Amino acid sequence: MDGNGRWAKERGQDRVYGHYEGVLSVREIVDACGDLGIGYLTLYAFSTENWNRPKTEVDALMELLVSTIKREIIDLDKNDVRVHLIGDLDSLPPACRDEMDEARRVTADNKGLNLIIALSYSARREIVEAAKKLATAAAQGQLNPADINERLFEDSLETAGFPDPELMIRTSGEHRISNFLLYQLAYAELYFTPVHWPDFRKKHLYEALLNYQGRERRFGKISEQIQSNSGTHA
Ligand code: FPP
């Protein structure tokens, strides 16, 4: 969800104003994904690197996250959305952590859209933590290192149990991954749009999805193999 700061600056406003407007886009995109029957939506709301921003902006963002979740939780629940969190949640201010935990608890039985909020998230940290977990199990004799495979590694990531993303959308004209789901994005289709996040609405999501539908996902195979198999896979 990039471009909030630039969007605000272009309007002569403080960067935080862009984050407030960005919440309206979050609302609309979550609604649209639910309506479309999309199973999983991950929002990169705050990276570990974002802690290095000016304290006033970080504080405002944390307050915004708390007030947004507090306000939206009833509607999210009504819409059968299940909230999940990934990231270094211990580093969050207690008020933010508590509110997020509450959202997780309230929506735990919902069966619609899985909304994964990446908060204080770093893909490198996640991968290192997974390696540490497996190494500890091996050192304690609970795991044979020879048995470590992709499946086991994936089960040690914070996204264990979630499917790999099929499409990654980055707004605001930057062509980078910025430490987001580095392992999980191995075969994702990447979509970049110049639209700043506060302007990114349903219409832009549909454009991204249409673009995705026009792509051929070969997963290392050749085009003819994919075409001859089409119709045989759900
Ligand atoms: C990136 O734009 C955006 C963020 C760091 C914050 C995004 C968070 C929200 C919109 C609130 C989300 C709320 C929920 C409940 C998930 P930027 O500040 O890096 O923009 P810039 O690149 O133009 O400076």
Side-chain angles (χ1 to χ4, degrees), residues 125-174:
R125 177 188 166 279
E126 178 188 29
I127 292 169
V128 169
E129 287 299 317
K132 215 187 282 178
K133 232 186 273 178
L134 293 171
T136 306
Q140 291 172 347
Q142 296 155 357
L143 173 68
N144 178 353
D147 291 337
I148 297 175
N149 54 22
E150 288 183 17
R151 178 72 209 282
L152 206 58
F153 198 84
E154 284 154 17
D155 287 346
S156 306
L157 293 170
E158 294 168 17
T159 51
F162 304 149
D164 283 346
E166 295 173 298
L167 171 65
M168 197 235 22
I169 301 173
R170 182 167 185 155
T171 57
S172 207
E174 305 295 351

mmCIF file of all heavy atoms in Angstrom, residues 125-174:
data_model
loop_
_atom_site.group_PDB
_atom_site.id
_atom_site.type_symbol
_atom_site.label_atom_id
_atom_site.label_comp_id
_atom_site.label_asym_id
_atom_site.label_seq_id
_atom_site.Cartn_x
_atom_site.Cartn_y
_atom_site.Cartn_z
ATOM 1 N N ARG A 125 13.469 -11.414 8.236
ATOM 2 C CA ARG A 125 13.360 -11.812 9.639
ATOM 3 C C ARG A 125 12.543 -13.107 9.749
ATOM 4 O O ARG A 125 12.903 -14.029 10.465
ATOM 5 C CB ARG A 125 12.694 -10.685 10.439
ATOM 6 C CG ARG A 125 12.470 -11.030 11.876
ATOM 7 C CD ARG A 125 11.645 -9.985 12.615
ATOM 8 N NE ARG A 125 11.192 -10.539 13.866
ATOM 9 C CZ ARG A 125 10.144 -11.340 14.008
ATOM 10 N NH1 ARG A 125 9.394 -11.637 12.965
ATOM 11 N NH2 ARG A 125 9.830 -11.836 15.173
ATOM 12 N N GLU A 126 11.441 -13.168 8.997
ATOM 13 C CA GLU A 126 10.582 -14.352 9.031
ATOM 14 C C GLU A 126 11.366 -15.598 8.605
ATOM 15 O O GLU A 126 11.253 -16.658 9.229
ATOM 16 C CB GLU A 126 9.387 -14.129 8.078
ATOM 17 C CG GLU A 126 8.465 -15.317 7.998
ATOM 18 C CD GLU A 126 7.401 -15.175 6.902
ATOM 19 O OE1 GLU A 126 7.663 -14.500 5.894
ATOM 20 O OE2 GLU A 126 6.330 -15.759 7.073
ATOM 21 N N ILE A 127 12.168 -15.469 7.548
ATOM 22 C CA ILE A 127 12.940 -16.607 7.044
ATOM 23 C C ILE A 127 14.009 -17.013 8.067
ATOM 24 O O ILE A 127 14.206 -18.207 8.341
ATOM 25 C CB ILE A 127 13.558 -16.265 5.661
ATOM 26 C CG1 ILE A 127 12.435 -16.138 4.621
ATOM 27 C CG2 ILE A 127 14.582 -17.309 5.241
ATOM 28 C CD1 ILE A 127 12.856 -15.542 3.287
ATOM 29 N N VAL A 128 14.671 -16.020 8.653
ATOM 30 C CA VAL A 128 15.701 -16.321 9.659
ATOM 31 C C VAL A 128 15.070 -17.011 10.875
ATOM 32 O O VAL A 128 15.607 -17.989 11.397
ATOM 33 C CB VAL A 128 16.449 -15.023 10.069
ATOM 34 C CG1 VAL A 128 17.324 -15.256 11.294
ATOM 35 C CG2 VAL A 128 17.283 -14.498 8.905
ATOM 36 N N GLU A 129 13.909 -16.513 11.288
ATOM 37 C CA GLU A 129 13.228 -17.127 12.449
ATOM 38 C C GLU A 129 12.841 -18.574 12.145
ATOM 39 O O GLU A 129 12.924 -19.446 13.001
ATOM 40 C CB GLU A 129 11.974 -16.322 12.831
ATOM 41 C CG GLU A 129 12.269 -14.981 13.497
ATOM 42 C CD GLU A 129 13.045 -15.113 14.802
ATOM 43 O OE1 GLU A 129 12.716 -16.004 15.608
ATOM 44 O OE2 GLU A 129 14.004 -14.340 15.003
ATOM 45 N N ALA A 130 12.406 -18.829 10.912
ATOM 46 C CA ALA A 130 12.029 -20.201 10.523
ATOM 47 C C ALA A 130 13.262 -21.107 10.589
ATOM 48 O O ALA A 130 13.203 -22.230 11.102
ATOM 49 C CB ALA A 130 11.433 -20.203 9.115
ATOM 50 N N ALA A 131 14.398 -20.587 10.073
ATOM 51 C CA ALA A 131 15.641 -21.369 10.105
ATOM 52 C C ALA A 131 16.033 -21.656 11.555
ATOM 53 O O ALA A 131 16.455 -22.783 11.888
ATOM 54 C CB ALA A 131 16.758 -20.601 9.383
ATOM 55 N N LYS A 132 15.874 -20.641 12.406
ATOM 56 C CA LYS A 132 16.228 -20.804 13.821
ATOM 57 C C LYS A 132 15.362 -21.881 14.480
ATOM 58 O O LYS A 132 15.844 -22.719 15.235
ATOM 59 C CB LYS A 132 16.009 -19.457 14.530
ATOM 60 C CG LYS A 132 17.026 -19.176 15.623
ATOM 61 C CD LYS A 132 16.686 -17.933 16.409
ATOM 62 C CE LYS A 132 17.037 -16.649 15.684
ATOM 63 N NZ LYS A 132 16.654 -15.457 16.434
ATOM 64 N N LYS A 133 14.060 -21.845 14.159
ATOM 65 C CA LYS A 133 13.121 -22.820 14.727
ATOM 66 C C LYS A 133 13.545 -24.251 14.348
ATOM 67 O O LYS A 133 13.598 -25.154 15.182
ATOM 68 C CB LYS A 133 11.719 -22.553 14.158
ATOM 69 C CG LYS A 133 10.630 -22.424 15.209
ATOM 70 C CD LYS A 133 9.274 -22.310 14.560
ATOM 71 C CE LYS A 133 8.912 -20.882 14.196
ATOM 72 N NZ LYS A 133 7.591 -20.778 13.525
ATOM 73 N N LEU A 134 13.863 -24.445 13.064
ATOM 74 C CA LEU A 134 14.240 -25.775 12.582
ATOM 75 C C LEU A 134 15.588 -26.203 13.172
ATOM 76 O O LEU A 134 15.758 -27.362 13.566
ATOM 77 C CB LEU A 134 14.284 -25.788 11.049
ATOM 78 C CG LEU A 134 12.925 -25.600 10.369
ATOM 79 C CD1 LEU A 134 13.090 -25.401 8.866
ATOM 80 C CD2 LEU A 134 12.020 -26.797 10.639
ATOM 81 N N ALA A 135 16.520 -25.249 13.258
ATOM 82 C CA ALA A 135 17.848 -25.569 13.808
ATOM 83 C C ALA A 135 17.722 -25.961 15.278
ATOM 84 O O ALA A 135 18.389 -26.906 15.734
ATOM 85 C CB ALA A 135 18.782 -24.367 13.654
ATOM 86 N N THR A 136 16.859 -25.260 16.004
ATOM 87 C CA THR A 136 16.663 -25.583 17.426
ATOM 88 C C THR A 136 16.093 -26.991 17.566
ATOM 89 O O THR A 136 16.554 -27.781 18.395
ATOM 90 C CB THR A 136 15.723 -24.541 18.081
ATOM 91 O OG1 THR A 136 16.265 -23.245 17.836
ATOM 92 C CG2 THR A 136 15.581 -24.764 19.575
ATOM 93 N N ALA A 137 15.087 -27.305 16.737
ATOM 94 C CA ALA A 137 14.479 -28.643 16.796
ATOM 95 C C ALA A 137 15.523 -29.710 16.472
ATOM 96 O O ALA A 137 15.566 -30.772 17.111
ATOM 97 C CB ALA A 137 13.292 -28.724 15.842
ATOM 98 N N ALA A 138 16.390 -29.408 15.495
ATOM 99 C CA ALA A 138 17.437 -30.375 15.124
ATOM 100 C C ALA A 138 18.432 -30.527 16.272
ATOM 101 O O ALA A 138 18.813 -31.652 16.623
ATOM 102 C CB ALA A 138 18.131 -29.921 13.847
ATOM 103 N N ALA A 139 18.828 -29.391 16.866
ATOM 104 C CA ALA A 139 19.815 -29.433 17.955
ATOM 105 C C ALA A 139 19.268 -30.208 19.154
ATOM 106 O O ALA A 139 20.024 -30.840 19.891
ATOM 107 C CB ALA A 139 20.204 -28.014 18.371
ATOM 108 N N GLN A 140 17.959 -30.158 19.329
ATOM 109 C CA GLN A 140 17.350 -30.867 20.466
ATOM 110 C C GLN A 140 17.006 -32.318 20.124
ATOM 111 O O GLN A 140 16.362 -33.019 20.909
ATOM 112 C CB GLN A 140 16.095 -30.117 20.928
ATOM 113 C CG GLN A 140 16.438 -28.776 21.587
ATOM 114 C CD GLN A 140 15.222 -27.927 21.890
ATOM 115 O OE1 GLN A 140 14.133 -28.215 21.392
ATOM 116 N NE2 GLN A 140 15.416 -26.888 22.674
ATOM 117 N N GLY A 141 17.386 -32.717 18.935
ATOM 118 C CA GLY A 141 17.182 -34.107 18.528
ATOM 119 C C GLY A 141 15.747 -34.429 18.114
ATOM 120 O O GLY A 141 15.391 -35.593 17.948
ATOM 121 N N GLN A 142 14.911 -33.361 17.935
ATOM 122 C CA GLN A 142 13.516 -33.621 17.552
ATOM 123 C C GLN A 142 13.350 -33.691 16.031
ATOM 124 O O GLN A 142 12.269 -33.988 15.527
ATOM 125 C CB GLN A 142 12.604 -32.508 18.087
ATOM 126 C CG GLN A 142 12.568 -32.451 19.596
ATOM 127 C CD GLN A 142 12.197 -31.061 20.100
ATOM 128 O OE1 GLN A 142 12.015 -30.126 19.322
ATOM 129 N NE2 GLN A 142 12.092 -30.926 21.408
ATOM 130 N N LEU A 143 14.395 -33.353 15.314
ATOM 131 C CA LEU A 143 14.284 -33.263 13.859
ATOM 132 C C LEU A 143 15.602 -33.679 13.228
ATOM 133 O O LEU A 143 16.668 -33.229 13.660
ATOM 134 C CB LEU A 143 13.958 -31.796 13.492
ATOM 135 C CG LEU A 143 13.947 -31.411 12.028
ATOM 136 C CD1 LEU A 143 12.778 -32.076 11.309
ATOM 137 C CD2 LEU A 143 13.827 -29.889 11.892
ATOM 138 N N ASN A 144 15.506 -34.534 12.202
ATOM 139 C CA ASN A 144 16.695 -34.918 11.458
ATOM 140 C C ASN A 144 16.899 -33.880 10.346
ATOM 141 O O ASN A 144 16.003 -33.706 9.508
ATOM 142 C CB ASN A 144 16.461 -36.324 10.874
ATOM 143 C CG ASN A 144 17.636 -36.789 10.042
ATOM 144 O OD1 ASN A 144 18.580 -36.030 9.787
ATOM 145 N ND2 ASN A 144 17.588 -38.046 9.630
ATOM 146 N N PRO A 145 18.046 -33.186 10.309
ATOM 147 C CA PRO A 145 18.250 -32.149 9.278
ATOM 148 C C PRO A 145 17.977 -32.661 7.866
ATOM 149 O O PRO A 145 17.538 -31.904 7.001
ATOM 150 C CB PRO A 145 19.713 -31.740 9.460
ATOM 151 C CG PRO A 145 20.029 -32.076 10.878
ATOM 152 C CD PRO A 145 19.196 -33.276 11.231
ATOM 153 N N ALA A 146 18.203 -33.958 7.634
ATOM 154 C CA ALA A 146 17.970 -34.522 6.296
ATOM 155 C C ALA A 146 16.481 -34.494 5.935
ATOM 156 O O ALA A 146 16.115 -34.583 4.760
ATOM 157 C CB ALA A 146 18.491 -35.950 6.244
ATOM 158 N N ASP A 147 15.628 -34.374 6.939
ATOM 159 C CA ASP A 147 14.179 -34.363 6.678
ATOM 160 C C ASP A 147 13.646 -32.959 6.359
ATOM 161 O O ASP A 147 12.456 -32.790 6.086
ATOM 162 C CB ASP A 147 13.412 -34.904 7.893
ATOM 163 C CG ASP A 147 13.665 -36.392 8.088
ATOM 164 O OD1 ASP A 147 14.042 -37.047 7.092
ATOM 165 O OD2 ASP A 147 13.501 -36.871 9.231
ATOM 166 N N ILE A 148 14.520 -31.962 6.445
ATOM 167 C CA ILE A 148 14.046 -30.597 6.160
ATOM 168 C C ILE A 148 13.799 -30.470 4.652
ATOM 169 O O ILE A 148 14.683 -30.727 3.846
ATOM 170 C CB ILE A 148 15.058 -29.530 6.641
ATOM 171 C CG1 ILE A 148 15.217 -29.613 8.166
ATOM 172 C CG2 ILE A 148 14.593 -28.121 6.222
ATOM 173 C CD1 ILE A 148 16.282 -28.694 8.736
ATOM 174 N N ASN A 149 12.565 -30.110 4.313
ATOM 175 C CA ASN A 149 12.219 -29.920 2.905
ATOM 176 C C ASN A 149 11.362 -28.656 2.785
ATOM 177 O O ASN A 149 11.107 -27.968 3.780
ATOM 178 C CB ASN A 149 11.492 -31.156 2.350
ATOM 179 C CG ASN A 149 10.280 -31.515 3.205
ATOM 180 O OD1 ASN A 149 9.747 -30.664 3.927
ATOM 181 N ND2 ASN A 149 9.838 -32.754 3.134
ATOM 182 N N GLU A 150 10.901 -28.359 1.593
ATOM 183 C CA GLU A 150 10.136 -27.115 1.395
ATOM 184 C C GLU A 150 8.883 -27.100 2.264
ATOM 185 O O GLU A 150 8.521 -26.079 2.846
ATOM 186 C CB GLU A 150 9.771 -26.956 -0.083
ATOM 187 C CG GLU A 150 10.971 -26.604 -0.925
ATOM 188 C CD GLU A 150 10.650 -26.361 -2.385
ATOM 189 O OE1 GLU A 150 9.466 -26.145 -2.729
ATOM 190 O OE2 GLU A 150 11.595 -26.394 -3.196
ATOM 191 N N ARG A 151 8.202 -28.209 2.327
ATOM 192 C CA ARG A 151 6.963 -28.312 3.098
ATOM 193 C C ARG A 151 7.194 -27.957 4.570
ATOM 194 O O ARG A 151 6.472 -27.149 5.157
ATOM 195 C CB ARG A 151 6.437 -29.748 2.939
ATOM 196 C CG ARG A 151 5.206 -30.094 3.686
ATOM 197 C CD ARG A 151 3.961 -29.420 3.083
ATOM 198 N NE ARG A 151 2.973 -29.203 4.118
ATOM 199 C CZ ARG A 151 2.182 -30.160 4.597
ATOM 200 N NH1 ARG A 151 2.211 -31.365 4.082
ATOM 201 N NH2 ARG A 151 1.326 -29.893 5.552
ATOM 202 N N LEU A 152 8.257 -28.532 5.128
ATOM 203 C CA LEU A 152 8.583 -28.308 6.541
ATOM 204 C C LEU A 152 8.992 -26.850 6.759
ATOM 205 O O LEU A 152 8.639 -26.227 7.762
ATOM 206 C CB LEU A 152 9.724 -29.251 6.944
ATOM 207 C CG LEU A 152 9.811 -29.635 8.404
ATOM 208 C CD1 LEU A 152 8.522 -30.302 8.861
ATOM 209 C CD2 LEU A 152 10.972 -30.607 8.613
ATOM 210 N N PHE A 153 9.752 -26.328 5.788
ATOM 211 C CA PHE A 153 10.186 -24.935 5.903
ATOM 212 C C PHE A 153 8.978 -23.997 5.862
ATOM 213 O O PHE A 153 8.856 -23.076 6.668
ATOM 214 C CB PHE A 153 11.175 -24.592 4.779
ATOM 215 C CG PHE A 153 11.963 -23.353 5.077
ATOM 216 C CD1 PHE A 153 13.104 -23.434 5.865
ATOM 217 C CD2 PHE A 153 11.552 -22.120 4.617
ATOM 218 C CE1 PHE A 153 13.823 -22.285 6.185
ATOM 219 C CE2 PHE A 153 12.257 -20.968 4.930
ATOM 220 C CZ PHE A 153 13.405 -21.056 5.707
ATOM 221 N N GLU A 154 8.060 -24.276 4.924
ATOM 222 C CA GLU A 154 6.855 -23.439 4.801
ATOM 223 C C GLU A 154 6.026 -23.490 6.078
ATOM 224 O O GLU A 154 5.441 -22.480 6.493
ATOM 225 C CB GLU A 154 6.015 -23.907 3.598
ATOM 226 C CG GLU A 154 6.620 -23.457 2.285
ATOM 227 C CD GLU A 154 6.248 -24.344 1.102
ATOM 228 O OE1 GLU A 154 5.277 -25.132 1.198
ATOM 229 O OE2 GLU A 154 6.956 -24.255 0.077
ATOM 230 N N ASP A 155 5.997 -24.661 6.709
ATOM 231 C CA ASP A 155 5.236 -24.797 7.957
ATOM 232 C C ASP A 155 5.883 -24.028 9.106
ATOM 233 O O ASP A 155 5.256 -23.840 10.145
ATOM 234 C CB ASP A 155 5.112 -26.280 8.341
ATOM 235 C CG ASP A 155 4.126 -27.016 7.445
ATOM 236 O OD1 ASP A 155 3.361 -26.331 6.735
ATOM 237 O OD2 ASP A 155 4.123 -28.257 7.446
ATOM 238 N N SER A 156 7.133 -23.625 8.932
ATOM 239 C CA SER A 156 7.823 -22.867 9.980
ATOM 240 C C SER A 156 7.717 -21.361 9.755
ATOM 241 O O SER A 156 8.180 -20.575 10.579
ATOM 242 C CB SER A 156 9.305 -23.253 10.025
ATOM 243 O OG SER A 156 9.427 -24.646 10.154
ATOM 244 N N LEU A 157 7.159 -20.959 8.615
ATOM 245 C CA LEU A 157 6.995 -19.525 8.338
ATOM 246 C C LEU A 157 5.740 -19.005 9.036
ATOM 247 O O LEU A 157 4.868 -19.780 9.443
ATOM 248 C CB LEU A 157 6.887 -19.293 6.824
ATOM 249 C CG LEU A 157 8.162 -19.595 6.014
ATOM 250 C CD1 LEU A 157 7.843 -19.574 4.512
ATOM 251 C CD2 LEU A 157 9.263 -18.589 6.332
ATOM 252 N N GLU A 158 5.640 -17.680 9.143
ATOM 253 C CA GLU A 158 4.461 -17.092 9.803
ATOM 254 C C GLU A 158 3.198 -17.305 8.976
ATOM 255 O O GLU A 158 2.086 -17.166 9.477
ATOM 256 C CB GLU A 158 4.689 -15.595 10.019
ATOM 257 C CG GLU A 158 5.802 -15.309 11.002
ATOM 258 C CD GLU A 158 6.215 -13.844 11.003
ATOM 259 O OE1 GLU A 158 5.458 -12.996 10.491
ATOM 260 O OE2 GLU A 158 7.307 -13.556 11.509
ATOM 261 N N THR A 159 3.375 -17.630 7.712
ATOM 262 C CA THR A 159 2.234 -17.822 6.816
ATOM 263 C C THR A 159 1.828 -19.296 6.722
ATOM 264 O O THR A 159 1.094 -19.665 5.799
ATOM 265 C CB THR A 159 2.591 -17.315 5.408
ATOM 266 O OG1 THR A 159 3.841 -17.908 5.037
ATOM 267 C CG2 THR A 159 2.703 -15.811 5.348
ATOM 268 N N ALA A 160 2.322 -20.111 7.644
ATOM 269 C CA ALA A 160 2.002 -21.551 7.617
ATOM 270 C C ALA A 160 0.496 -21.746 7.481
ATOM 271 O O ALA A 160 -0.287 -21.109 8.187
ATOM 272 C CB ALA A 160 2.498 -22.205 8.904
ATOM 273 N N GLY A 161 0.104 -22.579 6.537
ATOM 274 C CA GLY A 161 -1.315 -22.861 6.349
ATOM 275 C C GLY A 161 -1.980 -21.971 5.305
ATOM 276 O O GLY A 161 -3.089 -22.257 4.858
ATOM 277 N N PHE A 162 -1.330 -20.878 4.929
ATOM 278 C CA PHE A 162 -1.894 -20.010 3.882
ATOM 279 C C PHE A 162 -1.298 -20.412 2.526
ATOM 280 O O PHE A 162 -0.113 -20.756 2.462
ATOM 281 C CB PHE A 162 -1.533 -18.533 4.106
ATOM 282 C CG PHE A 162 -1.942 -17.972 5.441
ATOM 283 C CD1 PHE A 162 -1.189 -16.974 6.047
ATOM 284 C CD2 PHE A 162 -3.085 -18.418 6.091
ATOM 285 C CE1 PHE A 162 -1.556 -16.438 7.272
ATOM 286 C CE2 PHE A 162 -3.464 -17.886 7.324
ATOM 287 C CZ PHE A 162 -2.695 -16.898 7.913
ATOM 288 N N PRO A 163 -2.083 -20.317 1.456
ATOM 289 C CA PRO A 163 -1.497 -20.616 0.138
ATOM 290 C C PRO A 163 -0.559 -19.490 -0.296
ATOM 291 O O PRO A 163 -0.650 -18.372 0.214
ATOM 292 C CB PRO A 163 -2.722 -20.661 -0.781
ATOM 293 C CG PRO A 163 -3.761 -19.842 -0.094
ATOM 294 C CD PRO A 163 -3.503 -19.953 1.374
ATOM 295 N N ASP A 164 0.344 -19.796 -1.219
ATOM 296 C CA ASP A 164 1.213 -18.740 -1.758
ATOM 297 C C ASP A 164 0.372 -17.700 -2.484
ATOM 298 O O ASP A 164 -0.620 -18.048 -3.136
ATOM 299 C CB ASP A 164 2.203 -19.340 -2.772
ATOM 300 C CG ASP A 164 3.353 -20.070 -2.084
ATOM 301 O OD1 ASP A 164 3.523 -19.897 -0.864
ATOM 302 O OD2 ASP A 164 4.059 -20.810 -2.785
ATOM 303 N N PRO A 165 0.773 -16.437 -2.422
ATOM 304 C CA PRO A 165 0.028 -15.411 -3.164
ATOM 305 C C PRO A 165 0.120 -15.676 -4.669
ATOM 306 O O PRO A 165 1.164 -16.084 -5.172
ATOM 307 C CB PRO A 165 0.751 -14.100 -2.831
ATOM 308 C CG PRO A 165 1.630 -14.410 -1.669
ATOM 309 C CD PRO A 165 1.917 -15.872 -1.705
ATOM 310 N N GLU A 166 -0.985 -15.445 -5.368
ATOM 311 C CA GLU A 166 -0.972 -15.605 -6.822
ATOM 312 C C GLU A 166 -0.646 -14.289 -7.515
ATOM 313 O O GLU A 166 -0.094 -14.269 -8.601
ATOM 314 C CB GLU A 166 -2.338 -16.128 -7.289
ATOM 315 C CG GLU A 166 -2.611 -17.518 -6.753
ATOM 316 C CD GLU A 166 -4.015 -17.988 -7.046
ATOM 317 O OE1 GLU A 166 -4.988 -17.362 -6.585
ATOM 318 O OE2 GLU A 166 -4.138 -19.002 -7.743
ATOM 319 N N LEU A 167 -1.009 -13.215 -6.862
ATOM 320 C CA LEU A 167 -0.811 -11.888 -7.460
ATOM 321 C C LEU A 167 -0.321 -10.927 -6.392
ATOM 322 O O LEU A 167 -0.890 -10.874 -5.294
ATOM 323 C CB LEU A 167 -2.159 -11.395 -8.019
ATOM 324 C CG LEU A 167 -2.237 -9.952 -8.503
ATOM 325 C CD1 LEU A 167 -1.329 -9.721 -9.718
ATOM 326 C CD2 LEU A 167 -3.685 -9.591 -8.874
ATOM 327 N N MET A 168 0.750 -10.193 -6.696
ATOM 328 C CA MET A 168 1.202 -9.142 -5.800
ATOM 329 C C MET A 168 1.020 -7.790 -6.487
ATOM 330 O O MET A 168 1.496 -7.600 -7.605
ATOM 331 C CB MET A 168 2.681 -9.326 -5.440
ATOM 332 C CG MET A 168 3.062 -8.531 -4.228
ATOM 333 S SD MET A 168 4.435 -7.346 -4.273
ATOM 334 C CE MET A 168 4.756 -6.838 -5.873
ATOM 335 N N ILE A 169 0.294 -6.915 -5.851
ATOM 336 C CA ILE A 169 0.056 -5.586 -6.415
ATOM 337 C C ILE A 169 0.850 -4.575 -5.593
ATOM 338 O O ILE A 169 0.746 -4.560 -4.364
ATOM 339 C CB ILE A 169 -1.446 -5.217 -6.332
ATOM 340 C CG1 ILE A 169 -2.302 -6.240 -7.076
ATOM 341 C CG2 ILE A 169 -1.674 -3.794 -6.844
ATOM 342 C CD1 ILE A 169 -3.816 -6.034 -6.896
ATOM 343 N N ARG A 170 1.658 -3.769 -6.251
ATOM 344 C CA ARG A 170 2.308 -2.659 -5.553
ATOM 345 C C ARG A 170 1.886 -1.356 -6.205
ATOM 346 O O ARG A 170 1.970 -1.206 -7.419
ATOM 347 C CB ARG A 170 3.831 -2.774 -5.596
ATOM 348 C CG ARG A 170 4.458 -1.611 -4.812
ATOM 349 C CD ARG A 170 5.910 -1.768 -4.531
ATOM 350 N NE ARG A 170 6.343 -0.662 -3.680
ATOM 351 C CZ ARG A 170 7.387 -0.704 -2.872
ATOM 352 N NH1 ARG A 170 8.091 -1.797 -2.786
ATOM 353 N NH2 ARG A 170 7.721 0.347 -2.145
ATOM 354 N N THR A 171 1.420 -0.451 -5.384
ATOM 355 C CA THR A 171 0.949 0.835 -5.891
ATOM 356 C C THR A 171 2.083 1.853 -5.913
ATOM 357 O O THR A 171 3.159 1.623 -5.379
ATOM 358 C CB THR A 171 -0.209 1.366 -5.020
ATOM 359 O OG1 THR A 171 0.250 1.471 -3.665
ATOM 360 C CG2 THR A 171 -1.412 0.449 -5.075
ATOM 361 N N SER A 172 1.809 2.961 -6.555
ATOM 362 C CA SER A 172 2.650 4.154 -6.465
ATOM 363 C C SER A 172 3.932 4.151 -7.286
ATOM 364 O O SER A 172 4.843 4.938 -7.020
ATOM 365 C CB SER A 172 2.980 4.425 -4.990
ATOM 366 O OG SER A 172 3.227 5.779 -4.820
ATOM 367 N N GLY A 173 4.003 3.265 -8.274
ATOM 368 C CA GLY A 173 5.081 3.362 -9.261
ATOM 369 C C GLY A 173 6.432 2.814 -8.844
ATOM 370 O O GLY A 173 7.390 2.898 -9.608
ATOM 371 N N GLU A 174 6.533 2.241 -7.638
ATOM 372 C CA GLU A 174 7.825 1.649 -7.236
ATOM 373 C C GLU A 174 7.864 0.196 -7.705
ATOM 374 O O GLU A 174 6.893 -0.536 -7.520
ATOM 375 C CB GLU A 174 7.988 1.676 -5.707
ATOM 376 C CG GLU A 174 7.827 3.028 -5.065
ATOM 377 C CD GLU A 174 8.902 4.020 -5.480
ATOM 378 O OE1 GLU A 174 9.878 3.614 -6.143
ATOM 379 O OE2 GLU A 174 8.737 5.210 -5.159
#
